[in-house]
Amino acid sequence: MLQAFLQEIRLRGSYLNNAASPVTLYFGGGTPTVYAPRELGLIVKQVKETFQVVDFAELTVEANPDDLSLQYLTGLYEIGVNRLSIGIQSFNDEHLRRMKRRHTAKQAVESLQFAKEAGFENITIDLMYGLPQLSLDEWKATIEKALSLELSHLSAYHLTIEPRTLLGKQQQKGFWHPIAEEESEAQFLLLHQLLTQSGYEHYEVSNFARAGKQAIHNSLYWQQQPYIGIGPSAHSFNGYSRQWNVANSKQYLAALQEGRLSFEYEALTPAMRYNEYLLVGLRTAKGVNLSYIRQHFGEAVADYFSKQIQHNLMRGTIIRENDNYRIPAKHFFVSDSIIEHLFS
């Protein structure tokens, strides 16, 4: 599969249409740590050669705590990785067991200690709330443990249950019941309160950062900048269309052996691009800009937005600052329903 990745990178060389060279590289969307640092280094080298990149402002690797040894992390650091995203989820062993995670709370803390020893300063972790039987006190303890580790960035996501997963089947059989919405919101607000009081900026619905440590890679997504995804099911976006690779690994490999790519394609209409601009922009602390809407989508769309937004301005679920409109962080929890009301 590694050779296939290298081949796809070469074939993707013209996708960005001579746009600026990529500034970030992100290994994720699976378990990239199945590859040795040396193998990941070959991918880094190929991307640099294909897109004429001297260095990356941000080079991130996603990992699970139980996959990280000091030796492995040192190897990542040596190939130029400068940011780690570690899927810790919880510092409570009982909740980790219920989520079917392989690591323990002790391993989670050890992985962070190893990362710092290997030289990493820019480290983010993922936490999960909205879990069945997660009390507010237990959630507070997890947040406080994270704060004690002095991390530069933290992401927190509400548990989503898919019907065909193990947790989904257990829920259908009545083994447990989903948490009430008011409990989920209380956990979200506690997260916001404790982190912002500790100096973190709540700069996107699920993301918090120390000053200057916002995720560059994710921020480019939220700013609708072009990107390329490599591998089965990977998505790419060039500003006006989206494409995604075939999910089947055999079909993916067969196409590359023939020197071609196998993907589906979708051209984005102006209405789709406008809706996506609202969807990603209003999830961030920066919000969206009326002048940008007028410039990129036309006067009629700007007028439509101005009319639709009045209800939210009156309720305080969106606030205006000159030409910018944003959702206050205390309303981030219900941002999806706020944004949906504004769609074209």
Side-chain angles (χ1 to χ4, degrees), residues 8-9 12 15-16 26 221 226-237 243-245 252 261:
E8 184 182 358
I9 292 167
R12 292 281 187 189
Y15 180 75
L16 295 178
Y26 193 102
Y221 282 142
Y227 59 84
I228 297 176
I230 302 297
S233 297
H235 284 235
S236 298
F237 170 71
Q243 61 186 54
W244 53 99
N245 288 344
Y252 170 79
L261 302 171

Side-chain angles (χ1 to χ4, degrees), residues 41-285:
L42 293 176
I43 296 176
V44 174
K45 182 174 182 289
Q46 186 65 68
V47 173
K48 286 184 174 181
E49 291 177 355
T50 301
F51 297 98
Q52 300 180 339
V53 178
V54 176
D55 215 347
F56 292 103
E58 186 179 273
L59 204 173
T60 306
V61 170
E62 263 185 21
N64 294 318
D66 45 304
D67 292 330
L68 298 178
S69 64
L70 177 58
Q71 180 182 4
Y72 188 88
L73 287 161
T74 301
L76 291 182
Y77 191 78
E78 289 174 349
I79 65 167
V81 177
N82 57 20
R83 185 173 183 268
L84 290 175
S85 178
I86 305 178
I88 284 176
Q89 315 303 347
S90 176
F91 291 104
N92 183 305
D93 282 331
E94 178 60 23
H95 291 297
L96 288 170
R97 184 187 65 79
R98 290 176 188 162
M99 286 188 282
K100 306 300 178 184
R101 305 296 296 182
R102 292 179 302 165
H103 66 274
T104 64
K106 181 181 178 183
Q107 286 176 306
V109 174
E110 286 178 345
S111 71
L112 294 168
Q113 293 171 340
F114 290 152
K116 291 178 180 180
E117 190 173 342
F120 288 97
E121 297 179 356
N122 196 358
I123 303 170
T124 182
I125 65 171
D126 288 354
L127 296 179
M128 193 76 70
Y129 66 99
L131 309 176
Q133 302 175 40
L134 172 64
S135 71
L136 199 60
D137 285 342
E138 288 172 329
W139 178 229
K140 182 180 181 182
T142 283
I143 299 170
E144 289 176 340
K145 180 62 179 179
L147 287 171
S148 73
L149 296 167
E150 300 182 344
L151 302 166
S152 58
H153 190 283
L154 187 147
S155 301
Y157 303 97
H158 192 284
L159 178 68
T160 300
I161 303 296
E162 300 295 337
R164 295 184 180 181
T165 63
L166 177 60
L167 286 176
K169 292 175 181 177
Q170 289 177 342
Q171 179 182 336
Q172 291 168 7
K173 292 178 180 178
F175 290 147
W176 54 267
H177 300 285
I179 189 171
E181 185 172 349
E182 56 267 25
E183 292 181 76
S184 293
E185 186 168 9
Q187 291 174 10
F188 176 84
L189 292 174
L190 179 64
L191 172 75
H192 169 80
Q193 176 189 347
L194 293 179
L195 287 178
T196 54
Q197 286 178 350
S198 298
Y200 287 82
E201 178 191 359
H202 194 171
Y203 73 104
E204 194 270 346
V205 169
S206 303
N207 289 276
F208 301 79
R210 296 287 189 191
K213 294 298 184 181
Q214 295 86 350
I216 300 173
H217 186 84
N218 290 350
S219 295
L220 292 174
Y221 282 142
W222 302 327
Q223 295 165 18
Q224 293 188 298
Q225 296 299 307
Y227 59 84
I228 297 176
I230 302 297
S233 297
H235 284 235
S236 298
F237 170 71
N238 64 4
Y240 295 92
S241 68
R242 195 181 312 283
Q243 61 186 54
W244 53 99
N245 288 344
V246 62
N248 184 283
S249 295
K250 290 184 178 179
Q251 294 178 25
Y252 170 79
L253 291 170
L256 288 170
Q257 287 171 359
E258 296 174 2
R260 61 181 178 84
L261 302 171
S262 180
F263 60 84
E264 294 185 57
Y265 168 90
E266 177 183 47
L268 301 177
T269 66
M272 293 166 69
R273 290 190 289 110
Y274 167 73
N275 288 345
E276 288 195 12
Y277 174 68
L278 296 185
L279 180 63
V280 295
L282 285 172
R283 287 179 59 88
T284 70

Side-chain angles (χ1 to χ4, degrees), residues 289-299 301-303 306 323:
N289 183 273
L290 183 59
S291 296
Y292 180 95
I293 293 173
R294 183 176 291 108
Q295 178 183 351
H296 289 82
F297 305 108
E299 194 69 43
V301 176
D303 288 344
S306 297
D323 236 11

